[in-house]
Each structure stands twice: as structure tokens, then as C-alpha cells.
Amino acid sequence: AGGGRLLERIRKWYYNAAGFNKLGLMRDDTLHEDDDVKEALKRLPEHLYNARVFRIKRALDLSLKHQILPKDQWVKYEEDHPYLEPYLKEVIRERREREAWNKK
């Protein structure tokens, strides 16, 4: 149990050290947009997609101004949920299935 708590503290420390949360970004906002991610983004519900676009535009603006958000507006580790992950897993599963089918 103690090792699990230590690992969780290290994850939380690393999350904050990465710094993207200080710009209001979530972890999934920072994914490299390869073909799978682009397809997953197309499948996002409109409200999730719009929220992502807002966070990214705000982060770009803050970055250009060499600023960060006030601490009370940072994305907290506990609040960062993988909103894109279910869609991305589905896209990857479909691609692998297609690739396996094409090998036959």
C-alpha cells in the first residue's frame, strides 16, 4: 500500500513539473497528432472538441505572452481525465483490425 501511495505522489509531482496544466491544458491536449489521434478527434462530441480547442488557443496565447494562469485555474491532477482515450483506443483497434484483414 505504501509503494502505491509513493508512486501516486511521484505521478502527481511529474504532472505538475511538466507544466502544461499551468497553461490550462489537460494531458490529452498534449498528444502528438498522428493519424490515429486526428481520427479520434473527429469522433469527439462537439462539446469536448470545443473545450479542447479553447484550452489549446488559451495556452498558445499565454505562451506567446510568457504567462501562466493563476494557480486556482491550473488543471489539477485529480481533475485531468483522459477524454480522448476511449476514442483513440477504438481508432487503434479498428486500424489493427483493418491491417489484419488486409494481410489475409
Side-chain angles (χ1 to χ4, degrees):
R5 283 192 304 242
L6 177 62
L7 188 57
E8 189 67 16
R9 287 201 328 250
I10 291 170
R11 284 185 183 138
K12 193 172 183 178
W13 173 84
Y14 184 78
Y15 180 86
N16 287 314
F20 58 83
N21 64 320
K22 297 172 186 169
L23 297 172
L25 294 172
M26 298 175 87
R27 189 177 306 120
D28 282 359
D29 297 334
T30 65
L31 292 175
H32 172 71
E33 289 191 22
D34 60 12
D35 291 338
D36 290 339
V37 172
K38 287 177 184 176
E39 180 59 33
L41 288 170
K42 291 178 187 175
R43 298 180 185 194
L44 274 178
E46 187 175 3
H47 72 282
L48 290 176
Y49 182 79
N50 290 340
R52 172 190 168 88
V53 169
F54 171 79
R55 288 190 302 271
I56 291 172
K57 284 184 176 183
R58 178 179 58 185
L60 287 170
D61 183 55
L62 288 166
S63 182
L64 286 171
K65 294 176 181 175
H66 300 282
Q67 296 176 347
I68 60 172
L69 290 171
K71 191 166 186 164
D72 64 329
Q73 294 181 33
W74 293 1
V75 177
K76 294 169 188 60
Y77 176 79
E78 299 80 15
E79 297 170 353
D80 191 337
H81 60 282
Y83 67 91
L84 190 60
E85 186 177 329
Y87 302 94
L88 186 57
K89 283 182 177 179
E90 181 181 326
V91 167
I92 292 169
R93 183 190 56 75
E94 290 172 3
R95 177 179 47 80
R96 288 180 178 158
E97 191 176 294
R98 209 170 26 258
E99 289 169 353
W101 178 261
N102 290 335
K103 284 183 182 178
K104 290 183 179 182

